[in-house]
Amino acid sequence: MVLWSKDQEKLSDMSAGMERIEMKKEGVLPAFHHSNGSVHPVILPDNPEELPQSPGEYELTEVTSIPDRSDQENERPDMVVLDCRANAKGQREEDALLENSSQSNESDNTSMDQSPVPPAPLKETSFSIGLQVLFPFLLAGFGTVAAGMVLDIVQHWTVFTKVTEVFILVPALLGLKGNLEMTLASRLSTAANIGQMDTAKDMWKMIMGNLALIQVQATVVGFLASIAAVIFGWIPEGNFKMDHAILLCASSVATAFIASLLLGLIMIGVIIASRKVGINPDNVATPIAASLGDLITLALLAGISTGLYKELEFNDYANPMVCAFFIALTPIWVLIARRTPSTREVLYSGWEPVIIAMAISSVGGLILDKTVSNPNFAGMAVFTPVINGVGGNLVAVQASRISTYLHMNALPIAEPNPAPRKCPTPWSTFFGSGVNGRSARVLFILVAPGHLVFLYTINSMQGGHTSITSVFIAFYLAAALLQVVILLYLADWMVNWMWCRGMDPDNFSIPYLTALGDLLGTGFLALCFHILWLIGDRDTDVGD
């Protein structure tokens, strides 16, 4: 394509990818160029130095005729040979550019590609953080209180007394809210805050992929939790019963699958609603997941295990069929999860934290099984979901907030930010001037008042088998505060450590932290009951 132009300034505003060769009128000689077996006249400069040096960088453009320049002898027109792509699409793009060459420089500059502006971080004070976290925290706490009341009741059911290994499943399955639902909430909260769910198409793609992902993880974790219960419960004693093992497997898989589906749908609704009303999803999504997670999961476990235990007397195939049905659905969820890039990555690489967290929670379940099975410590059952749930809720909020902060601020947008610290000090974790230090202080301050409210609620409902004395409150609050201090410090260290090593904290940190919360909470609570028993603070008739 040959271009004659009197105004060289207009041509200079065209696309930077088009190369120009200026030649004077008297320096142009006709020549011929072979193309696809045919010969066409082309325009060549008489100076060979003006030709492109690399053969692949430019292409001489074919012309069918040489324009008549007899009427332009007194002028000095410039002729520019433009690079032309071999395909028709490139020619159409050049024609479109030529048609718009008369537009102003301002309009041309606005058509250039511009990098998307990153979303601004949310401006939050200690008061706003506390105000947003308080209501979900109380709601989650009352949910754990309800779960504790349920566990206090069902611990006397036949399936729990005949198959005591079901207690080992309790922390592992209740921990699914941290392994799956809270991780889902953190992942979607980060996606919403950084603008990955602004359009309906992106939002539904994220929703479907994440729902399918947690169904796969719930099925696998439920199956592995039943194996852990068998190993921790029967193998050391050498007392193995196949029908009870299959009962544990069917109950665990069915409970994990149904609970994860229900809680996943609730989490999606909470995150979408919170963004529409201008609330940070990191502050509300994970506590709400915990508020319903414990109660729903424990109620499903008790109901399903009781029903399947009764079926053992009449039908030997009910438990295997239930287990096989939910496992057979796994390939379908895998296919759906693979369609979304973010969930595809977690599908392949996100198993380590989930499985390790399940194993850690199962150790806590073993402690619960050995403690609650002793009639002297039957009162521990009602408090276990509360202390574990409160600690897990608070550390999940902090981990989700730190992860979102890193996603929004640690990317090299204008110039790289300093690398996150690898080993923070307790002072920097709780007394730092940044937003994460403020949130750590707010979450820690909520521990004691929240537990006092929950203990008062349990006492008012005459729950458990332990009187709420001042000595008990002192030991209980000491255990709860120590648990949360350790978890918040570990969250500050673990999230930054994972970020430095290229791991997304949304997918890896919360399972570890909530599982450690279950282990620390159950261990500290069991220690409190043993100390109270030794010093004479014994009461096992409350709530009978």
Side-chain angles (χ1 to χ4, degrees), residues 30 56 135 205 218 359 486:
F135 176 73
K205 189 176 181 180
I486 295 173

Side-chain angles (χ1 to χ4, degrees), residues 52 141 146 182 313 316 510 533:
M182 286 185 176
E313 301 178 1
D316 295 335
I510 291 182
W533 178 264

Side-chain angles (χ1 to χ4, degrees), residues 264-525:
L265 294 174
I266 294 173
M267 283 303 91
I268 291 169
V270 168
I271 291 172
I272 295 175
S274 62
R275 288 298 292 173
K276 289 186 177 180
V277 299
I279 297 176
N280 186 356
D282 287 314
N283 295 334
V284 298
T286 51
I288 292 178
S291 66
L292 300 175
D294 288 344
L295 181 59
I296 292 176
T297 303
L298 191 55
L300 285 173
L301 176 62
I304 292 174
S305 60
T306 299
L308 293 177
Y309 181 78
K310 292 179 180 179
E311 286 295 324
L312 289 177
E313 301 178 1
F314 309 103
N315 188 355
D316 295 335
Y317 300 100
N319 290 331
M321 289 179 63
V322 170
C323 189
F325 171 75
F326 287 105
I327 293 177
L329 293 177
T330 303
I332 300 176
W333 304 117
V334 170
L335 293 176
I336 298 176
R338 290 180 58 185
R339 297 181 179 180
T340 305
S342 59
T343 56
R344 186 190 307 123
E345 179 184 357
V346 181
L347 183 64
Y348 294 139
S349 62
W351 291 102
E352 179 183 349
V354 174
I355 294 175
I356 295 178
M358 181 273 303
I360 296 173
S361 296
S362 297
V363 176
L366 180 61
I367 298 174
L368 178 64
D369 179 27
K370 299 303 181 182
T371 306
V372 176
S373 299
N374 188 340
N376 296 324
F377 306 119
M380 177 178 168
V382 71
F383 301 105
T384 302
V386 178
I387 191 171
N388 292 349
V390 169
N393 299 344
L394 295 178
V395 74
V397 170
Q398 181 70 351
S400 180
R401 290 179 56 86
I402 298 175
S403 178
T404 299
Y405 176 84
L406 291 175
H407 276 282
M408 297 179 69
N409 296 280
L411 296 178
I413 299 173
E415 55 186 30
N417 290 336
R421 59 190 186 277
K422 296 182 179 180
C423 187
T425 63
W427 179 268
S428 63
T429 298
F430 294 97
F431 300 100
S433 59
V435 64
N436 295 327
R438 290 197 297 270
S439 62
R441 292 191 294 271
V442 170
L443 296 176
F444 178 76
I445 292 173
L446 292 176
V447 176
H451 274 296
L452 290 176
V453 172
F454 305 143
L455 290 177
Y456 176 78
T457 304
I458 294 174
N459 186 57
S460 300
M461 299 177 66
Q462 292 295 305
H465 304 274
T466 301
S467 298
I468 309 297
T469 63
S470 58
V471 177
F472 174 82
I473 292 175
F475 277 93
Y476 180 87
L477 290 181
L481 290 171
L482 182 60
Q483 175 206 30
V484 173
V485 166
I486 295 173
L487 290 176
L488 291 178
Y489 175 74
L490 288 177
D492 192 15
W493 168 79
M494 185 178 293
V495 172
N496 286 281
W497 181 84
M498 290 180 174
W499 182 267
C500 291
R501 280 149 185 80
M503 297 184 293
D504 189 352
D506 285 324
N507 300 327
F508 291 91
S509 63
I510 291 182
Y512 289 121
L513 293 169
T514 54
L516 289 172
D518 293 340
L519 179 59
L520 293 174
T522 307
F524 289 160
L525 189 61

Side-chain angles (χ1 to χ4, degrees), residues 22-154:
E22 298 182 0
M23 295 175 288
K24 293 182 180 181
K25 176 180 65 176
E26 55 271 15
V28 176
L29 298 175
F32 291 90
H33 172 66
H34 289 271
S35 174
N36 297 328
S38 60
V39 181
H40 304 282
V42 297
I43 303 300
L44 290 176
D46 58 344
N47 187 0
E49 295 180 356
E50 297 183 13
L51 287 174
Q53 298 301 320
S54 72
E57 186 177 358
Y58 302 103
E59 293 180 13
L60 292 175
T61 305
E62 302 171 1
V63 296
T64 56
S65 62
I66 300 177
D68 185 13
R69 295 173 292 174
S70 59
D71 56 342
Q72 302 176 3
E73 292 179 356
N74 296 328
E75 299 178 1
R76 187 188 177 188
D78 293 331
M79 183 177 65
V80 179
V81 179
L82 298 176
D83 176 33
C84 180
R85 298 176 177 85
N87 53 59
K89 178 180 178 181
Q91 294 177 359
R92 289 195 298 269
E93 292 175 353
E94 292 181 14
D95 293 341
L97 286 172
L98 293 177
E99 291 176 1
N100 296 329
S101 61
S102 61
Q103 296 180 357
S104 64
N105 294 341
E106 180 180 359
S107 62
D108 290 337
N109 293 335
T110 58
S111 64
M112 299 175 62
D113 294 335
Q114 297 180 357
S115 301
V117 179
L122 297 174
K123 303 297 183 182
E124 295 178 297
T125 62
S126 298
F127 178 77
S128 65
I129 295 173
L131 189 62
Q132 292 184 19
V133 173
L134 179 61
F135 176 73
F137 169 73
L138 294 176
L139 180 62
F142 287 122
T144 59
V145 169
M149 300 292 290
V150 171
L151 182 61
D152 184 53
I153 295 172
V154 302

